Structure formats: structure tokens, C-alpha cells
Amino acid sequence: MSLRPGTVFLADCPARLAIEIISSKWAVVTLFALSDGPLRHGELVELIGGVSRKVLTQTLRRLQAHGLVERRVFAEAPPRVEYALTELGGTLREPIAALTVWARSNGEAVVTFHEAAETAETAETTETAGTTDGP
């Protein structure tokens, strides 16, 4: 694969669309949550944590619309709905697992760097605000 300009991720490139779909804030977390098997909506909310029901529903619909997740409705009383990875969605298990390993190994370093950058920015803003131009 070449990374030269114009060879990958053009605006109308299917690869770019695929990256945009799975890189949304909740998509990769939702796909990871479904990697062990089908789950109901409430189970996903509980497992993921921090996601509203509305946002999870939107995420699941988007993943469904692109063939990564399927919604199964069971004819029971009360009705039961489960979400599962499709065959295509299942092809993301390995890349998402690798990303998860990286995040677990490097998450603390990312947070530490971010906090240091925020502290430096705050200090710079405070320092700049304390100076005046003129008599």
C-alpha cells in the first residue's frame, strides 16, 4: 500500500468512508463490545458505560446501515432485540483487538501528555494575560 498523496483516502474513496464509519467516538467501542457475541441494547449501554441510549441507538443504526452490525428481532412476548456483528463486522475483531491492546498499553502516557500540554497552555495564557503593551 502506498501512502503517497492521491493513492489512499481520497474524499470519494471507499476506504476513507470505512475509516470514517469505524472511527466515530462510539463505533469502535460498540464493535468491540459485540466482538464476544450478540447483546441486547440495555446490555450494551451497561457494558460500554458513558453512552446515552440515544447515541448508542444512532451508532447501531449507522453500523447497521453499513453492514457491520445486524439487528435481530425475536418474536417473543415481550419482544427481544439483539445486536450482533455481521460477517463483515467480524473482520474488525482483530484490528480492534490490536487497537485495544495499544490503548491499554499507552492510554496512561496519552493522558499524561495531554495533561502536561493543558498545563503548559494554561500557564502560557496566564503569562500572556499578565503582560500589557503600553505605558
Side-chain angles (χ1 to χ4, degrees), residues 18-92:
I19 292 294
E20 287 175 8
I21 292 163
I22 64 171
S23 65
S24 71
K25 181 174 182 177
W26 295 107
V28 75
V29 177
T30 302
L31 292 165
F32 182 73
L34 291 170
S35 66
D36 281 339
L39 293 169
R40 297 176 74 171
H41 194 274
E43 293 171 325
L44 280 167
V45 169
E46 187 177 317
L47 182 62
I48 293 170
V51 65
S52 71
R53 290 182 173 276
K54 177 183 175 185
V55 169
L56 179 59
T57 297
Q58 291 169 341
T59 300
L60 287 165
R61 285 181 181 158
R62 185 163 193 234
L63 294 172
Q64 245 186 292
H66 289 91
L68 301 175
V69 168
E70 66 181 347
R71 181 178 186 263
R72 296 183 197 142
V73 180
F74 296 87
E76 300 175 353
R80 179 170 55 110
V81 177
E82 288 184 345
Y83 296 90
L85 295 179
T86 61
E87 187 175 333
L88 180 60
T91 65
L92 289 165

